[in-house]
Amino acid sequence: MRVSMVLDQGTHAKVADSVDEGVRTDAIIIDFSKAFDLVPHDRFLTNITATGVDLKVVVWVKEFLLGRSQSIRLDGQLSEEVRVTSGVLQGSVLDPLLFLAWGPRWHCG
């Protein structure tokens, strides 16, 4: 049995090669693509503050995250606005940086 932990884009090819070679292949796939959308703003701000980031940066990130709302338009009807209390504005330039600021808390033992 071959055990590997692959974190790069070659995962699909390596799994396919193993299957083609007749090697028993087990896979556990965890999708973190939306995980950051679920991080509550207050917890995120508490955690980055605890890392020792300059307080000016924390305040700047706080102002970027807080006070946002969203609504949905479906068939010409606009929903009521709701306050956004978790995640980061999709497509923002800060999204990858904030993810990295949060991400190092995840580790494999």
Side-chain angles (χ1 to χ4, degrees):
M1 175 169 29
R2 180 174 16 172
V3 177
S4 62
M5 178 186 226
V6 182
L7 301 175
D8 59 30
Q9 293 183 348
T11 302
H12 182 269
K14 290 179 181 182
V15 170
D17 289 346
S18 293
V19 171
D20 289 344
E21 294 168 9
V23 176
R24 177 179 168 189
T25 305
D26 299 318
I28 298 173
I29 301 170
I30 302 172
D31 182 3
F32 288 111
S33 64
K34 297 290 183 186
F36 195 47
D37 292 345
L38 303 176
V39 177
H41 292 157
D42 57 345
R43 184 183 310 158
F44 177 78
L45 292 167
T46 299
N47 287 341
I48 63 168
T49 300
T51 66
V53 172
D54 187 292
L55 191 56
K56 292 177 184 176
V57 174
V58 175
V59 170
W60 185 73
V61 170
K62 179 180 179 179
E63 290 175 358
F64 175 77
L65 292 175
L66 301 182
R68 296 191 180 274
S69 63
Q70 67 183 21
S71 60
I72 299 171
R73 181 178 304 275
L74 180 64
D75 293 331
Q77 298 288 338
L78 188 61
S79 72
E80 183 177 322
E81 282 192 6
V82 294
R83 195 174 69 143
V84 177
T85 59
S86 64
V88 176
L89 181 65
Q90 291 182 1
S92 76
V93 294
L94 283 183
D95 201 6
L97 294 173
L98 294 177
F99 181 80
L100 289 174
W102 177 260
R105 296 182 65 248
W106 303 332
H107 57 83
C108 296

